[in-house]
Amino acid sequence: MQKNILIIGACGQIGTELTFTLREKHGSDIIIASDIREGNENLMDSGPFELLDATDYDALEEVVAYYEIDEVYLMAAMLSATAEKFPMRAWNLNMNSLFNVLNLAKEKKISKIFWPSSIAVFGPNTPRDNTPQNTIMEPSTVYGISKQSGERWCEYYHNKFGVDVRSIRYPGLISWKTMPGGGTTDYAVEIYHKALSDKTYTSFLRTDTTLPMMFMDDAIRATLELMESDPDKIKVRSAYNIAAMSFTPSEVAESITVQIPEFEITYEPDSRQAIADSWPSSIDDSEARKDWGWRSEFDLERTTNEMLQNLRK
Ligand code: SER
């Protein structure tokens, strides 16, 4: 029997592409998109949509019962830069939505959950290069604290109540269909838009700030591969490290210059610099490779080609 899937936060950067991909794969009718606000026209026209506040347990339970939902992808969250401005709102959104979904699974109202974690779970005392799966974490941002706590709760609900929850620590994600909002890695999307519209970009991170990044197609494939894996293969029930590439603002600028020679980048670091400085520069994803066969496909050159080609259309 085909299982109905609910995507919470379907209008966001990841949610939009996840919704499209799942609808292509399984048909539109069984993929229910939801968000606190409506999304772009393409998304709204692509299948069923519900306005939903994921921090409202009763409303969530009602949608799950109405559509006979079996699987939930919880993509709603407040990202790192915005969370520093609104700490309590970020904590409430990021944690209460997770508890609501975990509790639905504990009560056997749904049977599988995807919840995204982030490289933000790491902090200034974490080894920065090739950061291992298990290491010192000590996140120093509101967002990172919420993601690390979330990881602990996912593992707890799995061990204690048998909840089938799966998670990935996403690096900065680069995509052309929907803009990210409120993150520290957002520059790596904005830069492509500005390169095409203005031929110049002012980076809010320093020239030499190396961060782990990934093209959205890789991130979506990782998510679906993890969700489709046999449960016995999933040894990590907090969240898996995954990796594709690492680069600095000047390296991405250089890759753009190959196609747009007149493009110029300038630097005006702001408060997001401190957040970036507390995160790893590269990630060791050997556990994900070993347990469920993860392999990235997009490097910086291929990402730049995809971004410029699609944004030009
Ligand atoms: N891309 C996110 C952010 O910058 C990290 O998960 O907040």
Side-chain angles (χ1 to χ4, degrees):
M1 203 189 78
Q2 195 52 268
K3 307 206 158 149
N4 294 348
I5 296 175
L6 175 66
I7 301 165
I8 300 172
C11 301
Q13 190 200 9
I14 311 173
T16 303
E17 302 216 19
L18 189 61
T19 304
F20 288 140
T21 308
L22 284 169
R23 282 182 170 165
E24 255 165 49
K25 215 170 160 146
H26 302 293
S28 286
D29 297 348
I30 68 154
I31 309 299
I32 317 306
S34 73
D35 205 301
I36 198 145
R37 65 184 78 81
E38 293 193 352
N40 65 42
E41 214 174 298
N42 289 341
L43 180 94
M44 298 306 291
D45 290 346
S46 70
F49 179 86
E50 286 287 331
L51 279 176
L52 177 65
D53 174 358
T55 63
D56 179 343
Y57 184 81
D58 294 338
L60 174 61
E61 194 183 26
E62 207 175 300
V63 169
V64 164
Y66 180 80
Y67 288 100
E68 298 178 2
I69 298 296
D70 187 64
E71 248 176 62
V72 172
Y73 288 74
L74 172 55
M75 313 313 282
M78 195 185 288
L79 295 188
S80 59
T82 315
E84 290 305 301
K85 294 192 186 118
F86 309 105
M88 289 323 295
R89 264 172 59 195
W91 178 258
N92 289 336
L93 169 61
N94 296 1
M95 299 314 293
N96 293 342
S97 59
L98 176 59
F99 277 122
N100 286 346
V101 174
L102 287 173
N103 285 327
L104 278 176
K106 181 187 165 196
E107 287 155 26
K108 311 268 180 262
K109 290 178 175 156
I110 53 173
S111 69
K112 213 193 234 182
I113 300 168
F114 180 82
W115 171 80
S117 187
S118 160
I119 54 164
V121 294
F122 299 116
N125 298 322
T126 303
R128 295 205 68 196
D129 298 324
N130 222 19
T131 302
Q133 175 69 40
N134 296 305
T135 184
I136 299 168
M137 298 173 92
E138 302 177 3
S140 58
T141 64
V142 171
Y143 176 70
I145 294 169
S146 77
K147 287 295 177 187
Q148 196 200 14
S149 309
E151 286 193 7
R152 297 289 88 229
W153 281 110
C154 287
E155 193 185 84
Y156 182 86
Y157 269 69
H158 176 74
N159 291 340
K160 196 98 179 173
F161 309 118
V163 168
D164 189 355
V165 54
R166 306 174 183 205
S167 180
I168 282 172
R169 292 173 182 150
Y170 290 126
L173 297 181
I174 304 169
S175 65
W176 53 270
K177 286 186 189 152
T178 310
M179 291 297 276
T184 301
T185 56
D186 295 10
Y187 91 86
V189 178
E190 291 168 8
I191 193 169
Y192 291 104
H193 286 265
K194 291 284 183 189
L196 289 167
S197 62
D198 301 358
K199 310 273 181 269
T200 159
Y201 178 67
T202 304
S203 170
F204 58 76
L205 295 183
R206 264 194 334 260
T207 170
D208 59 347
T209 308
T210 308
L211 286 171
M213 298 279 181
M214 183 175 282
F215 188 58
M216 186 61 84
D217 292 27
D218 267 347
I220 298 291
R221 190 170 49 78
T223 306
L224 300 186
E225 284 176 7
L226 176 64
M227 285 299 272
E228 285 158 10
S229 289
D230 181 353
D232 300 344
K233 287 194 178 157
I234 301 167
K235 310 289 183 212
V236 175
R237 290 294 183 157
S238 49
Y240 276 99
N241 278 7
I242 62 168
M245 58 186 144
S246 287
F247 56 71
T248 64
S250 59
E251 283 163 346
V252 62
E254 248 170 68
S255 85
I256 292 172
T257 317
V258 174
Q259 295 189 41
I260 308 174
E262 62 276 37
F263 175 65
E264 271 177 30
I265 185 168
T266 55
Y267 300 91
E268 277 174 31
D270 66 16
S271 58
R272 288 168 280 191
Q273 185 65 50
I275 301 176
D277 287 341
S278 77
W279 289 351
S281 56
S282 60
I283 297 287
D284 175 358
D285 62 0
S286 47
E287 300 289 319
R289 287 167 173 265
K290 177 168 60 96
D291 291 356
W292 44 278
W294 162 247
R295 297 279 181 283
S296 67
E297 287 175 1
F298 288 80
D299 60 9
L300 177 57
E301 193 189 340
R302 201 167 161 209
T303 298
T304 296
N305 288 341
E306 289 285 324
M307 288 298 287
L308 293 178
Q309 204 177 9
N310 284 295
L311 289 177
R312 271 190 187 116
K313 287 179 191 161

